[in-house]
Amino acid sequence: MSKIKGVIFDLDGVIVDTAKFHFLAWRKLANDLGIDFTETQNEELKGVSRVRSLEKILAWGNVSLSEEDFNEKMAVKNENYLSFLTNLNSEDILPGVSRVIDFLIENNIPIALGSASKNARPILEKTALIGKFQAIVDGNDVSIAKPDPEVFISAAKKIEIPQENCLVFEDSVAGVQAANKAGMLSIGIGDKAVLHEADHIFSSFEEIEIEFIKKLMIL
Ligand code: B16
Ligand code: MG
Protein backbone atom coordinates (compact mmCIF):
# COMPACT_ATOMS: atom_id res chain seq x y z
CA MET A 1 0.00 0.00 0.00
CA SER A 2 1.27 3.51 -0.84
CA LYS A 3 1.64 6.41 1.55
CA ILE A 4 -1.41 8.69 1.59
CA LYS A 5 -0.65 12.23 0.41
CA GLY A 6 -4.08 13.44 -0.67
CA VAL A 7 -7.67 12.76 0.38
CA ILE A 8 -10.83 12.81 -1.72
CA PHE A 9 -14.24 13.06 -0.08
CA ASP A 10 -17.51 12.01 -1.61
CA LEU A 11 -20.30 14.41 -0.57
CA ASP A 12 -23.80 12.93 -0.21
CA GLY A 13 -23.82 10.39 2.59
CA VAL A 14 -20.21 11.12 3.60
CA ILE A 15 -20.00 14.81 4.53
CA VAL A 16 -23.71 15.49 4.89
CA ASP A 17 -26.67 13.17 5.30
CA THR A 18 -28.25 14.26 2.02
CA ALA A 19 -28.38 10.64 0.79
CA LYS A 20 -31.67 10.29 2.71
CA PHE A 21 -33.12 13.28 0.82
CA HIS A 22 -32.12 11.79 -2.55
CA PHE A 23 -33.90 8.61 -1.43
CA LEU A 24 -37.10 10.44 -0.43
CA ALA A 25 -37.17 12.46 -3.67
CA TRP A 26 -36.56 9.41 -5.89
CA ARG A 27 -39.13 7.34 -3.98
CA LYS A 28 -41.79 10.02 -4.47
CA LEU A 29 -41.01 10.26 -8.16
CA ALA A 30 -41.04 6.48 -8.61
CA ASN A 31 -44.28 6.03 -6.65
CA ASP A 32 -45.94 8.84 -8.66
CA LEU A 33 -45.11 6.81 -11.76
CA GLY A 34 -46.59 3.69 -10.14
CA ILE A 35 -43.16 2.16 -9.55
CA ASP A 36 -42.18 0.54 -6.23
CA PHE A 37 -38.91 1.74 -4.79
CA THR A 38 -37.13 0.05 -1.90
CA GLU A 39 -34.13 1.00 0.23
CA THR A 40 -32.22 -1.90 -1.36
CA GLN A 41 -32.82 -0.43 -4.81
CA ASN A 42 -31.76 2.93 -3.42
CA GLU A 43 -28.30 1.49 -2.61
CA GLU A 44 -27.88 1.02 -6.37
CA LEU A 45 -28.57 4.72 -6.94
CA LYS A 46 -26.12 6.07 -4.38
CA GLY A 47 -23.24 7.83 -6.11
CA VAL A 48 -25.00 7.39 -9.45
CA SER A 49 -25.76 10.44 -11.63
CA ARG A 50 -29.24 11.94 -11.86
CA VAL A 51 -29.77 10.76 -15.46
CA ARG A 52 -28.56 7.22 -14.78
CA SER A 53 -30.68 7.04 -11.59
CA LEU A 54 -33.88 7.87 -13.48
CA GLU A 55 -32.98 5.41 -16.25
CA LYS A 56 -32.60 2.68 -13.63
CA ILE A 57 -35.90 3.48 -11.91
CA LEU A 58 -37.77 3.46 -15.23
CA ALA A 59 -36.17 0.12 -16.15
CA TRP A 60 -37.24 -1.38 -12.78
CA GLY A 61 -40.81 -0.27 -13.42
CA ASN A 62 -40.70 -1.15 -17.11
CA VAL A 63 -41.81 2.41 -17.90
CA SER A 64 -40.60 4.45 -20.85
CA LEU A 65 -40.83 8.23 -21.17
CA SER A 66 -40.36 10.67 -24.04
CA GLU A 67 -37.20 12.76 -23.84
CA GLU A 68 -39.28 15.76 -22.80
CA ASP A 69 -41.03 13.86 -19.98
CA PHE A 70 -37.72 12.35 -18.88
CA ASN A 71 -36.18 15.81 -18.52
CA GLU A 72 -39.27 17.11 -16.76
CA LYS A 73 -39.14 14.24 -14.22
CA MET A 74 -35.46 14.97 -13.53
CA ALA A 75 -36.30 18.62 -12.88
CA VAL A 76 -39.18 17.67 -10.57
CA LYS A 77 -36.94 15.28 -8.62
CA ASN A 78 -34.29 17.94 -8.24
CA GLU A 79 -36.77 20.58 -7.07
CA ASN A 80 -38.14 18.17 -4.49
CA TYR A 81 -34.59 17.26 -3.39
CA LEU A 82 -33.60 20.93 -3.09
CA SER A 83 -36.67 21.66 -0.97
CA PHE A 84 -35.13 19.45 1.74
CA LEU A 85 -31.95 21.53 1.69
CA THR A 86 -33.47 24.94 2.41
CA ASN A 87 -32.20 25.08 5.98
CA LEU A 88 -29.00 23.10 5.48
CA ASN A 89 -26.10 24.58 7.47
CA SER A 90 -22.82 23.66 9.15
CA GLU A 91 -24.68 21.83 11.94
CA ASP A 92 -25.67 19.27 9.32
CA ILE A 93 -22.07 18.17 8.72
CA LEU A 94 -22.02 14.54 9.83
CA PRO A 95 -20.41 13.89 13.25
CA GLY A 96 -16.65 13.35 13.11
CA VAL A 97 -16.17 14.74 9.58
CA SER A 98 -14.89 18.21 10.54
CA ARG A 99 -12.37 16.68 12.96
CA VAL A 100 -10.84 14.65 10.11
CA ILE A 101 -10.93 17.55 7.61
CA ASP A 102 -9.24 19.88 10.11
CA PHE A 103 -6.58 17.29 10.94
CA LEU A 104 -5.75 16.87 7.23
CA ILE A 105 -5.54 20.63 6.68
CA GLU A 106 -3.29 21.07 9.74
CA ASN A 107 -1.00 18.42 8.29
CA ASN A 108 -0.89 19.98 4.81
CA ILE A 109 -2.70 17.08 3.17
CA PRO A 110 -4.64 18.49 0.21
CA ILE A 111 -8.32 17.59 0.18
CA ALA A 112 -10.65 17.39 -2.81
CA LEU A 113 -14.31 16.71 -3.37
CA GLY A 114 -15.29 13.93 -5.77
CA SER A 115 -19.07 13.91 -6.05
CA ALA A 116 -21.58 12.86 -8.69
CA SER A 117 -23.90 15.67 -7.62
CA LYS A 118 -24.59 18.79 -9.64
CA ASN A 119 -25.67 20.40 -6.35
CA ALA A 120 -22.30 19.91 -4.64
CA ARG A 121 -21.11 23.53 -4.66
CA PRO A 122 -24.23 25.05 -3.07
CA ILE A 123 -24.16 22.31 -0.42
CA LEU A 124 -20.52 23.07 0.42
CA GLU A 125 -21.39 26.76 0.57
CA LYS A 126 -24.36 26.23 2.89
CA THR A 127 -22.27 24.08 5.23
CA ALA A 128 -19.38 26.60 5.11
CA LEU A 129 -16.95 23.93 3.92
CA ILE A 130 -16.23 25.23 0.45
CA GLY A 131 -13.07 27.11 1.46
CA LYS A 132 -11.52 23.97 2.95
CA PHE A 133 -11.33 22.09 -0.35
CA GLN A 134 -8.39 22.61 -2.65
CA ALA A 135 -10.30 21.13 -5.56
CA ILE A 136 -13.90 20.32 -6.35
CA VAL A 137 -14.93 17.82 -9.00
CA ASP A 138 -18.68 17.30 -9.22
CA GLY A 139 -21.47 16.17 -11.53
CA ASN A 140 -21.01 19.27 -13.66
CA ASP A 141 -17.39 18.38 -14.43
CA VAL A 142 -17.48 14.71 -15.36
CA SER A 143 -18.86 12.96 -18.39
CA ILE A 144 -18.86 9.37 -17.09
CA ALA A 145 -20.52 8.61 -13.76
CA LYS A 146 -19.23 6.40 -10.92
CA PRO A 147 -18.38 3.45 -10.94
CA ASP A 148 -16.16 4.93 -13.64
CA PRO A 149 -13.10 6.42 -11.88
CA GLU A 150 -13.11 9.68 -13.91
CA VAL A 151 -14.32 11.85 -11.01
CA PHE A 152 -11.55 10.67 -8.66
CA ILE A 153 -8.81 10.69 -11.32
CA SER A 154 -9.73 14.26 -12.14
CA ALA A 155 -9.74 15.24 -8.43
CA ALA A 156 -6.28 13.68 -7.92
CA LYS A 157 -4.95 15.63 -10.91
CA LYS A 158 -6.35 18.87 -9.54
CA ILE A 159 -4.60 18.42 -6.18
CA GLU A 160 -1.49 17.16 -8.04
CA ILE A 161 -1.21 13.91 -6.09
CA PRO A 162 -0.54 10.56 -7.85
CA GLN A 163 -3.63 8.35 -7.85
CA GLU A 164 -1.95 5.59 -5.79
CA ASN A 165 -1.27 8.13 -3.02
CA CYS A 166 -4.93 9.15 -2.70
CA LEU A 167 -7.50 7.97 -0.20
CA VAL A 168 -11.23 8.15 -1.00
CA PHE A 169 -14.07 8.30 1.54
CA GLU A 170 -17.26 6.90 0.00
CA ASP A 171 -20.72 5.74 1.11
CA SER A 172 -21.76 4.08 -2.16
CA VAL A 173 -20.93 0.80 -3.87
CA ALA A 174 -20.44 2.66 -7.18
CA GLY A 175 -18.05 5.11 -5.50
CA VAL A 176 -16.00 2.40 -3.78
CA GLN A 177 -15.68 0.62 -7.12
CA ALA A 178 -14.61 3.88 -8.79
CA ALA A 179 -11.92 4.47 -6.14
CA ASN A 180 -10.66 0.89 -6.47
CA LYS A 181 -10.49 1.23 -10.27
CA ALA A 182 -8.45 4.40 -9.84
CA GLY A 183 -5.96 2.44 -7.67
CA MET A 184 -6.80 4.58 -4.63
CA LEU A 185 -7.29 3.43 -1.04
CA SER A 186 -11.05 3.14 -0.55
CA ILE A 187 -12.67 3.74 2.81
CA GLY A 188 -16.35 2.87 2.97
CA ILE A 189 -18.61 4.78 5.33
CA GLY A 190 -21.71 2.76 6.07
CA ASP A 191 -22.84 -0.84 6.11
CA LYS A 192 -20.07 -3.49 6.02
CA ALA A 193 -22.21 -5.94 4.06
CA VAL A 194 -23.01 -3.36 1.37
CA LEU A 195 -19.55 -1.79 1.09
CA HIS A 196 -17.51 -5.00 1.35
CA GLU A 197 -15.37 -4.09 -1.69
CA ALA A 198 -13.79 -1.18 0.24
CA ASP A 199 -10.26 -1.51 1.71
CA HIS A 200 -11.56 -0.37 5.12
CA ILE A 201 -15.12 0.17 6.33
CA PHE A 202 -16.41 2.32 9.19
CA SER A 203 -20.04 2.79 10.12
CA SER A 204 -19.45 6.54 10.50
CA PHE A 205 -16.64 9.10 10.79
CA GLU A 206 -17.05 8.99 14.56
CA GLU A 207 -15.47 5.53 14.45
CA ILE A 208 -12.35 6.76 12.65
CA GLU A 209 -9.41 7.42 14.98
CA ILE A 210 -6.96 10.14 13.97
CA GLU A 211 -4.21 7.57 14.73
CA PHE A 212 -5.57 5.40 11.91
CA ILE A 213 -5.24 8.25 9.41
CA LYS A 214 -1.79 9.22 10.75
CA LYS A 215 -0.56 5.67 10.10
CA LEU A 216 -1.73 5.83 6.48
CA MET A 217 0.24 9.06 6.05
CA ILE A 218 3.56 7.76 7.35
CA LEU A 219 3.71 4.33 5.75
P1 B16 B 1 -27.69 15.49 -8.14
P2 B16 B 1 -22.33 11.77 -4.24
C1 B16 B 1 -24.56 11.58 -5.68
O1 B16 B 1 -23.71 12.32 -4.85
C2 B16 B 1 -25.67 10.93 -4.88
O2 B16 B 1 -25.13 9.90 -4.08
C3 B16 B 1 -26.69 10.34 -5.80
O3 B16 B 1 -27.75 9.80 -5.04
C4 B16 B 1 -27.21 11.44 -6.73
O4 B16 B 1 -28.16 10.91 -7.65
C5 B16 B 1 -26.04 12.03 -7.49
O5 B16 B 1 -25.10 12.56 -6.57
C6 B16 B 1 -26.48 13.15 -8.40
O6 B16 B 1 -26.92 14.20 -7.60
O7 B16 B 1 -29.04 15.06 -8.57
O8 B16 B 1 -27.67 16.40 -6.93
O9 B16 B 1 -26.86 16.04 -9.29
O10 B16 B 1 -22.71 10.71 -3.28
O11 B16 B 1 -21.49 11.31 -5.41
O12 B16 B 1 -21.77 13.00 -3.54
MG1 MG C 1 -22.29 9.46 -1.65
Side-chain angles (χ1 to χ4, degrees):
M1 202 179 68
S2 311
K3 182 169 156 174
I4 294 306
K5 298 178 181 168
V7 174
I8 305 172
F9 288 79
D10 173 52
L11 178 68
D12 296 314
V14 166
I15 293 178
V16 274
D17 199 7
T18 40
K20 68 179 180 217
F21 300 138
H22 280 295
F23 169 64
L24 293 174
W26 281 128
R27 189 177 60 182
K28 177 166 179 7
L29 185 127
N31 293 169
D32 287 351
L33 286 164
I35 303 170
D36 279 341
F37 184 60
T38 63
E39 295 221 27
T40 310
Q41 285 169 313
N42 186 54
E43 287 302 331
E44 289 190 41
L45 302 191
K46 283 187 183 172
V48 173
S49 69
R50 204 180 306 167
V51 175
R52 188 72 197 110
S53 299
L54 183 52
E55 284 171 353
K56 279 178 165 255
I57 290 171
L58 295 177
W60 290 329
N62 212 7
V63 171
S64 55
L65 294 178
S66 67
E67 195 183 331
E68 195 187 341
D69 286 347
F70 187 98
N71 289 335
E72 199 251 344
K73 293 293 174 204
M74 282 211 303
V76 166
K77 184 270 171 179
N78 197 47
E79 265 172 44
N80 189 12
Y81 171 66
L82 291 178
S83 72
F84 291 113
L85 306 185
T86 318
N87 299 319
L88 194 79
N89 63 56
S90 57
E91 285 176 18
D92 294 302
I93 299 169
L94 282 164
V97 172
S98 294
R99 180 178 55 100
V100 171
I101 289 180
D102 292 341
F103 169 78
L104 295 169
I105 293 172
E106 278 159 26
N107 287 276
N108 299 317
I109 299 286
I111 59 173
L113 191 85
S115 166
S117 176
K118 294 189 170 176
N119 297 300
R121 283 166 201 270
I123 291 175
L124 288 182
E125 271 160 19
K126 276 169 177 278
T127 49
L129 285 173
I130 197 145
K132 302 205 172 189
F133 285 83
Q134 250 158 280
I136 294 171
V137 182
D138 66 17
N140 300 294
D141 306 311
V142 293
S143 49
I144 326 171
K146 300 171 190 174
D148 188 276
E150 182 189 5
V151 62
F152 296 139
I153 291 174
S154 173
K157 278 202 184 108
K158 281 197 178 186
I159 55 173
E160 298 178 347
I161 301 291
Q163 284 165 223
E164 65 270 24
N165 299 113
C166 288
L167 175 168
V168 173
F169 288 113
E170 254 295 345
D171 72 317
S172 71
V173 175
V176 165
Q177 290 171 342
N180 291 346
K181 279 186 204 158
M184 300 176 178
L185 185 76
S186 55
I187 301 200
I189 306 292
D191 190 325
K192 279 197 167 56
V194 175
L195 301 174
H196 58 89
E197 289 171 72
D199 294 312
H200 300 273
I201 308 163
F202 296 94
S203 62
S204 82
F205 264 81
E206 282 180 300
E207 253 189 30
I208 304 178
E209 307 268 0
I210 290 298
E211 264 323 294
F212 167 77
I213 297 176
K214 262 190 200 163
K215 275 189 198 144
L216 300 176
M217 286 161 42
I218 55 171
L219 278 176

